[in-house]
Amino acid sequence: MSEEMAPAIPAATLVMMRPRDKAPPELLMIERAGTMAFAAGALVFPGGRIDPGDEALAANEAVVGASVPDDAAARIAAIRESIEEVGIAIGIVPPPDHAATAAIREALAEGGDLGALLAAGGWTIDLDALVPFARWRPNFKETRLFDTRFYLAVAPADAEPDADGGESVHALWIGAGEALDGAAEGRFRVIFPTRRNLERLALFADFGEARAHAAQFAIEPVTPWVEDRDGEKFLCIRADLGYPVTASPLANELRG
């Protein structure tokens, strides 16, 4: 697209998937506090902006190997934010138990550095535990803009989310189809990127299918645009990035 891109905040999101017997996997989602400047009260996946500490840890090849720095920083941010927001540690080796995860979470809340906490506890980080899924980079200047990388991961079998009570007020396991039904019935607020990602996630019977599907598509920025179709405005995305729904009436969508 030729439209000039407004500045965006680098961010990362983690879609944790938990298998179910004879049913599609459940996804871990959180309800954002109604006081938040972006997506207030909306049902979203855990995540947030990439911090300088994430970038510093991503630049340490002794810890993360020869990864692409921007991608590594995003994966680290997704791991850190998941600990902070719901108290679940993904991609940390060996997996910390509940008490250790709670201690890391408390230290992060007090301004602790994730890299230093991992080193002190004898943990390493496994960025390959996160599978690249998408990258959303809206350009609507009336909302707060994020350039967000989405990752998939298998949730620990005993993962029990605990909302932080600040940015997130509720955490729940829910199937993609169930979340979409709840949004259609007005029980959940779901913004446009989340809705499109839920529709895509609803295609998969398990994590393996989701991972194989994601590998078929380039991780390129998804930048929605508004298009007039027979006098009605539609919010659209590209048709070549793996999404089953690529246009929706603008009046039906929440953007932030």
Side-chain angles (χ1 to χ4, degrees):
M1 296 176 65
S2 59
E3 183 181 1
E4 181 181 352
M5 299 294 281
I9 301 166
T13 286
L14 185 56
V15 181
M16 296 186 220
M17 306 178 75
R18 184 171 75 171
R20 290 188 290 185
D21 290 337
K22 301 179 181 179
E26 291 178 309
L27 313 174
L28 179 56
M29 302 192 75
I30 59 174
E31 180 184 344
R32 285 174 62 83
T35 56
M36 299 300 293
F38 176 78
L43 200 64
V44 299
F45 302 106
R49 68 180 64 205
I50 298 170
D51 289 343
D54 304 323
E55 295 171 340
L57 185 55
N60 188 340
E61 290 192 11
V63 177
V64 302
S67 303
V68 178
D70 288 350
D71 176 60
R75 294 183 195 226
I76 291 165
I79 291 168
R80 175 184 53 74
E81 286 281 349
S82 296
I83 296 172
E84 292 180 354
E85 289 193 330
V86 294
I88 296 177
I90 297 288
I92 296 179
V93 182
D97 61 21
H98 179 76
T101 301
I104 296 171
R105 185 184 196 183
E106 182 177 357
L108 289 171
E110 294 174 352
D113 175 74
L114 179 60
L117 292 168
L118 295 178
W123 292 291
T124 59
I125 197 162
D126 176 18
L127 298 185
D128 290 336
L130 279 64
V131 174
F133 183 66
R135 182 177 179 179
W136 278 72
R137 207 290 189 193
N139 196 38
F140 300 115
K141 298 176 178 61
E142 70 272 21
T143 64
R144 181 171 293 185
L145 295 179
F146 291 91
D147 180 354
T148 306
R149 297 174 189 252
F150 286 73
Y151 298 93
L152 307 175
V154 177
D158 60 349
E160 290 298 334
D162 176 26
D164 64 16
E167 293 186 9
S168 60
V169 296
H170 182 53
L172 70 158
W173 291 105
I174 188 168
E178 295 161 289
L180 289 166
D181 289 344
E185 295 163 2
R187 292 185 286 113
F188 303 133
R189 292 187 79 247
V190 175
I191 61 175
F192 181 77
T194 305
R195 187 186 300 273
R196 299 288 85 89
N197 279 303
L198 284 168
E199 290 162 349
R200 188 177 174 191
L201 290 161
L203 300 174
F204 312 129
D206 53 36
F207 176 80
E209 283 191 8
R211 179 176 54 197
H213 175 89
Q216 297 176 33
F217 298 92
I219 305 299
E220 297 181 1
V222 181
T223 301
W225 71 91
V226 177
E227 182 177 301
D228 190 284
R229 298 185 177 182
D230 297 324
E232 184 177 9
K233 292 186 181 300
F234 277 72
L235 194 55
C236 309
I237 62 173
R238 286 169 49 181
D240 60 344
L241 295 177
Y243 289 88
V245 178
T246 58
S248 175
L250 179 60
N252 296 347
E253 297 294 345
L254 297 171
R255 290 191 285 186

